[in-house]
Amino acid sequence: MEFVGTALAEMTMPQISPLAGEPIERADAERLAGVLKALADPARLRLLSLIQSAPEGEACVCDLTAPLGLSQPTVSHHLRILTEAGLLEREKRGVWAYYRLVPSAIATIADLLTPPRKRATKKAR
Amino acid sequence: MEFVGTALAEMTMPQISPLAGEPIERADAERLAGVLKALADPARLRLLSLIQSAPEGEACVCDLTAPLGLSQPTVSHHLRILTEAGLLEREKRGVWAYYRLVPSAIATIADLLTPPRKRATKKAR
DNA sequence: CAGCACCATCGATCTGCCTGCATATCGGCA
DNA sequence: TGCCGATATGCAGGCAGATCGATGGTGCTG
């Protein structure tokens, strides 16, 4: 599972909702699973949480290693995973790399997981 | 990662929302990650989708192996993971084991991921 | 009762991932 | 220019998980 990259973006366009209408295809399942896999890690969930609750909604690596209790390379690795999944965006200012949430990313995932409720797909069986 | 079991239920009560207010604790992160890990697999996503879109909203193992292209033990294994995560419920009728979605389970996950009702947190630049 | 279909579990293999150490890279500063 | 601090990358060990074949248990059914 390497280049998830724009996986999230590609998923937002087609109305693939695993719990909406018809069974999802293998390719869609793999894309969604890829993004979910990026989320399914305690360290990464805490990273997202820490970044979101940081002063300006952004944080650099040096601010995150201590709260997590993980080494700097490990934190950098997790941030890379989250960024490639489309959940974080990176901005380098000077020597520091600032990470912030991609606003709609998590919301998109939540929408994909939300049962049809009222968002009508074309066909109700 | 064995008995996630009631992990979902335990999570629904406290307002732990990774992207809501303050940084989440390690224990909460691990519980949420456990459930997300159950979701973060193509085969399991397709299983949920297949079961949801089945005639009565339920399906037995024998109906699921063919569409997935996986062996019966493997399918059974995935169903076990999903059930222990609180996403599926199992009912044995005769020789067949019928699985159906736990209605609020996925919605709970979606809610945990969605920031409380105001999605526009800060301002983009 | 005997055979059969459905399903769960076990054991084994193979892949993938988390983590840290060492190292490379890049920008600022004296 | 040369050093230092902040990040990223390479490499490797160790563990978790996905998959399958074989096996065992359990209700139908003839």
Side-chain angles (χ1 to χ4, degrees), chain A residues 47-61:
Chain A
L47 277 175
L48 292 176
S49 178
L50 283 168
I51 293 174
Q52 181 274 336
S53 60
E56 297 295 327
E58 64 180 15
C60 59
V61 183

Side-chain angles (χ1 to χ4, degrees), chain B residues 37-68:
Chain B
K37 205 168 294 189
L39 271 179
D41 182 275
R44 291 197 280 270
L45 285 175
R46 295 181 70 197
L47 278 175
L48 291 176
S49 178
L50 283 168
I51 293 174
Q52 182 273 335
S53 60
E56 297 295 328
E58 64 182 13
C60 60
V61 182
C62 58
D63 298 329
L64 298 170
T65 54
L68 276 191

Side-chain angles (χ1 to χ4, degrees), chain A residues 44-61 64 79 82-83 87-89 98-102, chain B residues 18-19 23 122:
Chain A
R44 290 196 282 270
L45 286 175
R46 296 182 69 199
L47 277 175
L48 292 176
S49 178
L50 283 168
I51 293 174
Q52 181 274 336
S53 60
E56 297 295 327
E58 64 180 15
C60 59
V61 183
L64 299 170
L79 292 171
L82 289 169
T83 303
L87 300 172
L88 286 182
E89 57 186 9
Y98 288 92
Y99 289 86
R100 58 173 60 239
L101 298 202
V102 174
Chain B
L19 307 174
K122 306 289 170 54

Side-chain angles (χ1 to χ4, degrees), chain A residues 85-108:
Chain A
L87 300 172
L88 286 182
E89 57 186 9
R90 193 183 94 118
E91 181 193 359
K92 186 135 192 191
R93 293 204 297 269
V95 206
W96 293 275
Y98 288 92
Y99 289 86
R100 58 173 60 239
L101 298 202
V102 174
S104 61
I106 306 280
T108 297

Side-chain angles (χ1 to χ4, degrees), chain B residues 12-116:
Chain B
T12 64
M13 6 196 61
Q15 264 304 78
I16 70 155
S17 185
L19 307 174
E22 314 180 352
I24 52 181
E25 293 300 324
R26 182 186 309 259
D28 292 329
E30 286 180 359
R31 280 206 298 267
L32 180 53
V35 182
L36 286 174
K37 205 168 294 189
L39 271 179
D41 182 275
R44 291 197 280 270
L45 285 175
R46 295 181 70 197
L47 278 175
L48 291 176
S49 178
L50 283 168
I51 293 174
Q52 182 273 335
S53 60
E56 297 295 328
E58 64 182 13
C60 60
V61 182
C62 58
D63 298 329
L64 298 170
T65 54
L68 276 191
L70 294 176
S71 70
Q72 176 266 319
T74 300
V75 171
S76 193
H77 164 74
H78 285 307
L79 292 172
R80 183 178 189 272
I81 301 286
L82 290 169
T83 303
E84 286 180 344
L87 300 172
L88 286 182
E89 56 187 8
R90 193 184 95 117
E91 181 193 359
K92 185 136 192 189
R93 292 204 298 268
V95 216
W96 294 274
Y98 289 92
Y99 289 86
R100 59 173 60 241
L101 298 201
V102 173
S104 61
I106 306 279
T108 297
I109 308 241
D111 285 348
L112 286 177
L113 291 180
T114 304

